[in-house]
Amino acid sequence: MALSPETRDKLKKVSTATLATALYKRGLRGQFIQDVQPLHKPTESMVGEAFTLRYMPAREDLNQLVVFRDRGHPQRKAVEECPPGAVMVIDSRKDARAASAGGILVGRLKARGVAGVVSDGGFRDAAEIATLGIPAYHQRPSAPTNLTLHQAIEINGPIGCGDAPVFPGDVVVGDADGVIIVPAHLADEIAAEATEMTAYEDFVTEEVSKGRSILGLYPATDERSLTDFAAWRKANGR
Amino acid sequence: MALSPETRDKLKKVSTATLATALYKRGLRGQFIQDVQPLHKPTESMVGEAFTLRYMPAREDLNQLVVFRDRGHPQRKAVEECPPGAVMVIDSRKDARAASAGGILVGRLKARGVAGVVSDGGFRDAAEIATLGIPAYHQRPSAPTNLTLHQAIEINGPIGCGDAPVFPGDVVVGDADGVIIVPAHLADEIAAEATEMTAYEDFVTEEVSKGRSILGLYPATDERSLTDFAAWRKANGR
Amino acid sequence: MALSPETRDKLKKVSTATLATALYKRGLRGQFIQDVQPLHKPTESMVGEAFTLRYMPAREDLNQLVVFRDRGHPQRKAVEECPPGAVMVIDSRKDARAASAGGILVGRLKARGVAGVVSDGGFRDAAEIATLGIPAYHQRPSAPTNLTLHQAIEINGPIGCGDAPVFPGDVVVGDADGVIIVPAHLADEIAAEATEMTAYEDFVTEEVSKGRSILGLYPATDERSLTDFAAWRKANGR
Amino acid sequence: MALSPETRDKLKKVSTATLATALYKRGLRGQFIQDVQPLHKPTESMVGEAFTLRYMPAREDLNQLVVFRDRGHPQRKAVEECPPGAVMVIDSRKDARAASAGGILVGRLKARGVAGVVSDGGFRDAAEIATLGIPAYHQRPSAPTNLTLHQAIEINGPIGCGDAPVFPGDVVVGDADGVIIVPAHLADEIAAEATEMTAYEDFVTEEVSKGRSILGLYPATDERSLTDFAAWRKANGR
Amino acid sequence: MALSPETRDKLKKVSTATLATALYKRGLRGQFIQDVQPLHKPTESMVGEAFTLRYMPAREDLNQLVVFRDRGHPQRKAVEECPPGAVMVIDSRKDARAASAGGILVGRLKARGVAGVVSDGGFRDAAEIATLGIPAYHQRPSAPTNLTLHQAIEINGPIGCGDAPVFPGDVVVGDADGVIIVPAHLADEIAAEATEMTAYEDFVTEEVSKGRSILGLYPATDERSLTDFAAWRKANGR
Amino acid sequence: MALSPETRDKLKKVSTATLATALYKRGLRGQFIQDVQPLHKPTESMVGEAFTLRYMPAREDLNQLVVFRDRGHPQRKAVEECPPGAVMVIDSRKDARAASAGGILVGRLKARGVAGVVSDGGFRDAAEIATLGIPAYHQRPSAPTNLTLHQAIEINGPIGCGDAPVFPGDVVVGDADGVIIVPAHLADEIAAEATEMTAYEDFVTEEVSKGRSILGLYPATDERSLTDFAAWRKANGR
């Protein structure tokens, strides 16, 4: 179930907060990746299908620097295979004491057209990554090489990231609040619903800034709120 | 015991660090709200009387989205009732896994003339809140709707926030370091004392930047420090 | 074993990430100070020999404000004795609930020509420190006076800071990722090796930004990578 | 809605694990009090209606030892007012660094016929409490007087305890696994359902100990499992 | 590389502490599973090859109770497939807020001849499991059904458990201190070496209890220590 | 200021809870060592003067197993030098991921007449230590050799242990609740006062078990409480 260009576009214009509420309505409460932040202030939302990478704790004898000479090493392989437009999501077991990746690998993802990268651990070269122009989210910067604590063990299987379940192909959306996972089969309907919700929220935000009370307006329990909204939509072409 | 305009003005010009020391002298060591940060860099200190909101853990059957249709829902009620000039302080049990509030509610607080908002959890729409111009402090951004984990249960009772005790009417002061709670009955004397301390600290900072040693100067154990300070006050109209 | 000007210069031009890898090759996996961040974005790396200060938990009767009237108080003494060019590293037991130091003391360090200051706790007056122009790293801002929780007990002995071992004279390097400790006896060879590594990484970064795959390039398992690098060095005077 | 003797009896014979599953079926996932343990090995389950006590962080000037001379102090008042047969549940904000209560107060609860006591902090005199014969649950022992960190502020209001929501009158059940909160209005039906589930689980346990596979048996997807169970019930009078 | 009966026997007679030191000599510092404890006091060491089960965070729509009606559900399948003599090791992401398994499943493992079970989360029915006679290790008891937080996703792949790397076939050893993972290819030599070390430690323990100093004895830097040990071995048939 | 036999005897008969309250009256709120537990149930209180050992984070090149061949290694030296009747208190930086010590060293302490041993990390060979008959307190068992994370760096200097300040010569008291540090200069008066408090608490405990209310009795705000206590003391020879 590929992510359609229409849904991708819609998701770029809605917030993770709105998506969280739309998922909540469907009983999904744990899709927000806890405790990650963008390395640079986002200008638009990151959107893409999840391509996952799983790390397990590193065993010292299996994680000498020489392992990276193997072209088949899962970390390097994943970087070369992550599809353009996808978001690489890394399960670092919420451990930021060593890096999940660094500037060169994230630069390669950027060059390959990948839509973003997320780790529940930390990236090294964080300042450099922040200038690359590819959305990147992590817990905090971390200089030690990932071999110190992490061994890449599986590409594109189901993982946990920041306590959220992530299946390959799920739709990943990130903004200034953080990153949320929309299950693949719900992406279209959630995108549509969130677009509608966003229109109403934009209307409410405008009204509130003019001094209107939230009672009856948010949510729209007053009839007038809906009438006003209808007029606002017409006036604003939404 | 209302916060007088004079005390409010004084508190806007002193730091939470200086206030913490003044409170420490009176045996109060735990008034700093731990682990909250401003959503945008403060230009002047946030000052206001505490108006509190307490959250308890959400029970699923009591926290469906429909609850917000009730105009008496404590979260919405609190937002409409928090007095202009006050600071809303939210006890989120230090749990930032779901939002304490979002852009629309904080926007409404701003519109109503509220002086600031503090949660020991997290706000959603954090980037939007950062642009509203109302001081806001939290632990970290959090997109999930507050119903996921939080049920608003009490308005303006005594609470804990970030391990600090907060009674309604206590004076809340926030700057770049974070937020501190000045007990209501001490506000005037603490404001006066902190103002004096700040004058001396400003003098010391200036001297230190010129190369003077802190020994004898900070604290003022050398007679000369006091003489110089007297001259500095005169010269600077402090 | 004093830090030579040559080594200091080299270390200013390499990242903590590269240093972490060079240390990793020698079996040193724990030299990165965990969970500290710069108070202001670094423009160049902080480099200096470690001058340490150890805090123990404060006992109330020994930590009244009056203790600072003693010119021999270890915290104040350390600030006056830390050599120009050194980095003061404070063992705050990873406890940021009270300040490790504030703007005046850090200002004095700056005035005395100290190269930087690091605490695994928190600084007060964080916004002010950020403008001083001396590199400073901590966990998070913290307004309460350090007497609340910390008693300075030892100057320039071996300590832990953010889970890293720090011996006086070790070389401390900080950048946007954080701070790493290079053992004194390894400083020259690590600086030289990291300089070489950085040249190759810069070359790789450039190639990657042009679209080249990392396979065979990073690490250089393809002969061509080394040939190209040689040409690049010549062309770039590296 | 008082807890009937029948329901109390049923709840004494089912496990918190079974109750957790029955609640899970109704969408209630957060009713287990996290990270508390019994001070002594339970012989039968603790059951009673919740009578709550809320602590806020202690402010030093309000929490000198002399406060306990006030007969109206909420902690002491709560101990004298908690109804026989009820369970006192204390919201200690998951902070075990000071005691929630000690041997004398828990002894008084025992003498008054209270059914048990739960804190998400810690008790002092833990070894003594363990011999009293009243079920008691906490995080870990803690000797410091509760005034060090806790101020009793509210009796029998809604609270959080170990991340679970607790309303006065909810039914509290504790066994060796810990403590779970059954919402008052569900107590009868949950007790009935859990009793039925327990019968089947006991049957399964017996079968499994004899070597039968869990497939088809647990859950009962094989017709034979139900037939065998019916026979077992008859044979065992369940 | 199957675990030989000889090696199994040897490992039953050595402690996890001794094994940790033998692994440390080979550069393996992270093989101890952090923060798990036995549900009942061990009488002899648990030994077996690792058979693993991995949990990811549960997504609500995929984890209704009905999933257990599927005979192919990985948790149930794993319980039926774990080989006799093996130890089931469960990666619960160190999250004990919901159960990893309960009494019936662990009872089935016992009935099937499995050598033990380890989770870095928590078991429900902990008191019952403690009586089954199969070694079981976890973080703490936890009543909520595992569907609340955990979805079994992979059987017998490489995992992390309590920050230790675990590959299927690694040898798992548990005693009162906890659980350690011996890489499969090292099992024979580590078992042999640890057996020798244990003989010396037993000799030292005896000497120390008689009042002998550890200097020169532990480690054996005095020639006499080795001579005495030789005599002790002869006398004690070790 | 040596610990007198009289004070030692008194301290053996009072609880850490009572001592905590006596210290609290003098403004000392942080003397309880947080989060340590006895390895075996205490029969009488552990009492002795603190003899301290400080660990810093281990640097790999300085912590190979061979270091223990040095008779001057601080850990081994401390074990041989800790005076009979003293309590060894180890600052393990609250890190239990590797052992603070094991059965042989603690056995040697026992043989040398040391009164007890406390670490805010963990001991290996925990089950063996529990049988030695010397009081031992830690956070949790931990099998990895202490070289993995800890380097012994200082003997008998001031340290922190479980967030409590410990100076050599302070009096260490441990019971089932945990361990508390009585500053040396207060030991006599605290012991005397706690003895008196204990008499009253024992009286109250007896009265409470007979059904008497705590109001007026605890604390003794009713005149009758004091009269009854006087009679009880006479009757019980206290």
Side-chain angles (χ1 to χ4, degrees), chain C residues 52-68:
Chain C
T52 70
L53 179 60
R54 179 162 69 93
Y55 289 163
M56 64 180 286
R59 203 174 80 195
E60 291 89 339
D61 58 344
L62 301 176
N63 287 279
Q64 299 302 316
L65 274 177
V66 71
V67 298
F68 286 138

Side-chain angles (χ1 to χ4, degrees), chain A residues 60 63-65 68-69 71 76 79-80 96-97 104-105 107-108 111 124-128 140-145 147-148, chain C residues 15-18 20-21 24-25 29 32 34-35 176-177 201 204-205 208-209 211-216 218-222:
Chain A
E60 291 89 338
N63 286 279
Q64 300 302 316
L65 275 176
F68 285 138
R69 301 188 69 85
R71 279 160 176 266
R76 302 299 159 93
V79 166
E80 290 295 334
R97 291 176 298 151
I104 289 171
L105 297 194
R108 178 61 182 153
R124 64 198 324 206
D125 311 317
E128 181 191 333
R140 63 171 195 259
S142 186
T145 169
L147 298 175
T148 314
Chain C
S15 71
T16 56
T18 302
T21 300
Y24 182 87
K25 288 184 197 167
R29 296 150 174 266
F32 187 68
Q34 292 294 335
D35 209 5
D177 277 354
E201 287 160 6
V204 168
T205 298
V208 162
S209 75
R212 187 161 166 178
S213 164
I214 53 171
L215 300 182
Y218 184 65
T221 47
D222 274 1

